[in-house]
Amino acid sequence: MPIMLHVDELKPGLCLAQAIYQGEQRLICGGQKLEQWHIDALRRRFPTLVVRVLDPILDGMAEFEDDTQNVEVATTITSRMSRLMSSVQAKIGARTSLDGSDLTGLQAAIKEVMDYLVAHPVTAAVLMRSGGTTGYLQEHAANVMYLSLLVGNAIRDYVYHERARTTRSRTLAVRYGLNLTPLALGCLFHDLGMLEFEDLLYTDAPLTPEQFQRIRQHPLTGVNLLPKETDAVVKTVVRTHHENMNGTGYPAGLAGDKLHVFSRIIRLADAYDAGTSDRVYRQAKTPARVLWELTCGPNRHLYDPLIARILSGMVQPFPIGAKIRLNCGRYAVVVRHNRRHPFRPTVIIAFDEEGRRLKKKQLEPPFSLVDHEEVRLVEFAGQDLTFLNTGPQPPPALGESPASSDSGVYEALHAMTAETTETNLFSMVYP
Ligand SMILES: [Fe+2]
Ligand SMILES: [Fe+2]
């Protein structure tokens, strides 16, 4: 299994484990032995790039979890959904709303995707980023759908399992359960009401008060763009995808048990994708940071805690092969995920304090961080991880802007929010 190195750590002679793409354009093939000019070009063009390189010695020391299928499935589904979302956008642009025949076609396409997912189960969610070559709303809808379906599948499987375990009757249709089609459609449609504001997603210009008010209504605007025969659950989740568990969301301020389970799933998938996306006005946060904020951060009360836990077990904070600095100063490489304790994977210490690769005879077997509480993760890909070493954070005081509220699609509104008493209302997507 390859290890992941930052572009600044690349050296001539290392062999790429995977091709490097920009959007759908392949820049360098997998298997390519890197030369200095490759490295210089990559550093110039992608200063934050992390690539996978082959490491036969580590491969012989540890049985790395294979995530090839996870990557393939995510790429297949999200690119397909992204194209589907493009066609939805084009139809809305031409006609201002969808009709029944559009709905039938979309349902058929979604069924194919769901069947594909059942036939190709994944063990961890991996989101592929297009590097800005795809429209934000298309890629966002595709990612939200993919994550939501994975979480929905996990919940459905649990329900099946419990039914089979607890019922005596073998004639009961134990596979009868949650129909995930409305969840998938809800994800695809959830930000239709944002289409008229799409230009604003690519600028850091402040919004006018009128734009702000209309954006707050985008869940309702989106519902009005749907065909009248759309399933009631789909309409519900589009309308409530920005509501929070503690009643601080919008547009209606619904709370807790008033929220459909699909709305709670989308709320989390939406926040995760927004937090980990690069925007013109904000650099993406790492998956580790976002997962920690959703499950342990001061704004965790906005989300369903059980679904947040499921999501953090499916979306791994560190990819297999990630090189992470430990509190002892040395660097470890992630060998295996830990679903129950996502921030405590199995690792092998493979680099010294200076970042030099340890010799084969210096390597010790991999170990689970769960069994070594004294070992702490402190840095990954240049980003500080010491927040992981703190417990759950208390919620922000009333009226105080949450520390992490400056993320998400609406961050472009900062200039305006600073002048209003409704600052938190702009943290609409993330947290
Ligand atoms: Fe939204
Ligand atoms: Fe969204």
Side-chain angles (χ1 to χ4, degrees):
M1 192 68 194
I3 57 172
M4 303 186 77
L5 294 180
H6 186 270
V7 68
D8 287 341
E9 298 176 295
L10 296 178
K11 293 193 171 52
L14 288 174
C15 212
L16 277 186
Q18 286 175 332
I20 296 178
Y21 286 88
Q22 184 175 28
E24 293 186 6
Q25 183 193 1
R26 188 168 59 196
L27 301 178
I28 308 181
C29 296
Q32 174 73 49
K33 201 176 216 177
L34 291 174
E35 297 179 28
Q36 190 61 49
W37 71 269
H38 288 125
I39 298 169
D40 292 341
L42 286 173
R43 282 181 186 154
R44 267 199 313 276
R45 205 156 164 184
F46 310 107
T48 59
L49 182 71
V50 175
V51 299
R52 288 187 153 181
V53 299
L54 296 172
D55 191 320
I57 294 176
L58 275 190
D59 248 349
M61 286 291 296
E63 198 178 326
F64 283 81
E65 190 169 320
D66 185 359
D67 65 353
T68 315
Q69 173 151 315
N70 297 339
V71 174
E72 280 176 14
V73 171
T75 308
T76 303
I77 291 184
T78 54
S79 57
R80 174 120 200 237
M81 283 301 107
S82 193
R83 284 199 295 276
L84 211 57
M85 188 61 194
S86 295
S87 72
V88 169
Q89 282 184 236
K91 282 175 179 167
I92 286 186
R95 295 200 306 255
T96 71
S97 67
L98 297 168
D99 61 31
S101 65
D102 297 326
L103 198 59
T104 308
L106 289 170
Q107 279 170 328
I110 281 175
K111 182 172 184 316
E112 273 180 38
V113 165
M114 288 166 57
D115 289 346
Y116 175 82
L117 200 51
V118 170
H120 301 82
V122 297
T123 54
V126 183
L127 288 187
M128 308 307 289
R129 303 287 177 191
S130 69
T133 56
T134 307
Y136 173 76
L137 284 180
Q138 296 153 25
E139 186 170 280
H140 173 63
N143 288 343
V144 169
M145 197 195 83
Y146 182 58
L147 291 177
S148 297
L149 279 183
L150 291 187
V151 171
N153 266 334
I155 294 172
R156 185 172 63 176
D157 288 348
Y158 175 78
V159 171
Y160 289 162
H161 178 79
E162 283 302 290
R163 280 198 180 136
R165 190 176 67 81
T166 57
T167 183
R168 274 195 220 158
S169 169
R170 292 299 158 207
T171 57
L172 184 70
V174 292
R175 294 201 65 77
Y176 175 81
L178 284 172
N179 172 14
L180 298 184
T181 304
L183 173 64
L185 273 175
C187 294
L188 200 62
F189 294 148
H190 80 281
D191 273 339
L192 284 188
M194 280 299 292
L195 284 178
E196 61 179 304
F197 302 106
E198 197 173 12
D199 289 350
L200 298 174
L201 300 170
Y202 305 104
T203 167
D204 57 0
L207 291 189
T208 65
E210 291 74 29
Q211 286 170 325
F212 166 59
Q213 288 304 336
R214 281 170 57 207
I215 284 178
R216 272 181 60 81
Q217 297 300 309
H218 83 268
L220 302 176
T221 315
V223 171
N224 292 333
L225 290 169
L226 297 176
K228 61 178 183 315
E229 50 273 68
T230 305
D231 186 306
V233 175
V234 178
K235 290 181 178 170
T236 298
V237 298
V238 173
R239 194 173 56 245
T240 57
H241 76 273
H242 283 290
E243 302 289 0
N244 293 330
M245 288 298 284
N246 63 359
T248 57
Y250 66 94
L254 299 176
D257 58 6
K258 298 267 192 323
L259 299 176
H260 193 283
V261 63
F262 291 168
S263 304
R264 304 181 199 191
I265 293 173
I266 294 183
R267 180 73 181 93
L268 271 156
D270 195 29
Y272 177 82
D273 187 62
T276 53
S277 295
D278 260 330
R279 312 296 308 128
V280 287
Y281 38 82
R282 174 185 53 73
Q283 198 185 1
K285 294 187 180 195
T286 60
R289 179 78 208 188
V290 172
L291 288 176
W292 181 85
E293 290 184 353
L294 297 181
T295 53
C296 304
N299 296 307
R300 65 188 184 281
H301 307 291
L302 308 187
Y303 311 107
D304 183 305
L306 187 59
I307 295 171
R309 198 170 159 75
I310 294 170
L311 183 77
S312 67
M314 307 216 61
V315 186
Q316 293 302 319
F318 310 109
I320 299 297
K323 179 184 166 189
I324 303 176
R325 191 155 70 84
L326 306 177
N327 54 339
C328 63
R330 294 188 293 173
Y331 293 80
V333 173
V334 175
V335 170
R336 191 162 286 278
H337 298 311
N338 184 331
R339 268 78 190 168
R340 287 175 65 87
H341 304 283
F343 298 112
R344 307 298 286 166
T346 295
V347 299
I348 181 168
I349 296 178
F351 296 85
D352 68 12
E353 290 83 348
E354 307 300 321
R356 290 177 302 239
R357 182 72 167 66
L358 296 177
K359 304 240 174 345
K360 187 175 181 183
K361 60 177 188 241
Q362 297 173 300
L363 293 172
E364 292 181 16
F367 62 92
S368 167
L369 289 170
V370 171
D371 302 328
H372 291 267
E373 246 183 67
E374 74 287 1
V375 179
R376 303 296 175 104
L377 308 178
V378 297
E379 187 193 302
F380 170 51
Q383 304 232 8
D384 177 52
L385 291 179
T386 50
F387 60 86
L388 291 177
N389 305 324
T390 62
Q393 301 298 293
L398 212 58
E400 185 184 316
S401 178
S404 56
S405 70
D406 59 349
S407 312
V409 169
Y410 299 89
E411 193 177 358
L413 312 183
H414 264 193
M416 180 185 160
T417 56
E419 297 167 13
T420 79
T421 55
E422 299 179 312
T423 306
N424 291 344
L425 295 180
F426 290 101
S427 314
M428 291 175 172
V429 174
Y430 180 84

